[in-house]
Amino acid sequence: MLRASQILVRSFALALCAASLGACGQRGPLYLPTAPEAAQRATLPETLRSQIFDDAATAPVRAPVQPANAR
């Protein structure tokens, strides 16, 4: 027999799953924008690529750490 706490936790988890699936984005059919303003937008792969390479280029260079007993 399920205890009250188990029922509460399972109900909460089920409600959370239902809410996350119900609130997943735009309503209606999906479409690709064809307006002239959309032609200049970066695509997802371009955005990710620029973040990876920009982060690597601007990352500080750290000196190697030498152990305390290396003297």
Side-chain angles (χ1 to χ4, degrees), residues 34-41:
T34 57
E37 304 87 41
Q40 300 300 319
R41 288 188 195 151

Side-chain angles (χ1 to χ4, degrees), residues 5 9 11 14 19 24 44 54 57 64:
S5 61
V9 167
S11 298
L14 181 62
C24 64
L44 180 62
D54 288 347

Side-chain angles (χ1 to χ4, degrees), residues 12-28:
F12 181 72
L14 181 62
L16 182 64
C17 289
S20 65
L21 288 175
C24 64
Q26 176 178 334
R27 295 177 66 180

Side-chain angles (χ1 to χ4, degrees), residues 18-53:
S20 65
L21 288 175
C24 64
Q26 176 178 334
R27 295 177 66 180
L30 297 177
Y31 65 93
L32 291 174
T34 57
E37 304 87 41
Q40 300 300 319
R41 288 188 195 151
T43 62
L44 180 62
E46 291 170 346
T47 304
L48 294 176
R49 196 174 308 122
S50 69
Q51 287 179 354
I52 291 170
F53 291 122

Side-chain angles (χ1 to χ4, degrees), residues 1-13:
M1 187 83 187
L2 293 177
R3 292 183 292 176
S5 61
Q6 289 176 330
I7 293 172
L8 182 63
V9 167
R10 289 181 182 183
S11 298
F12 181 72

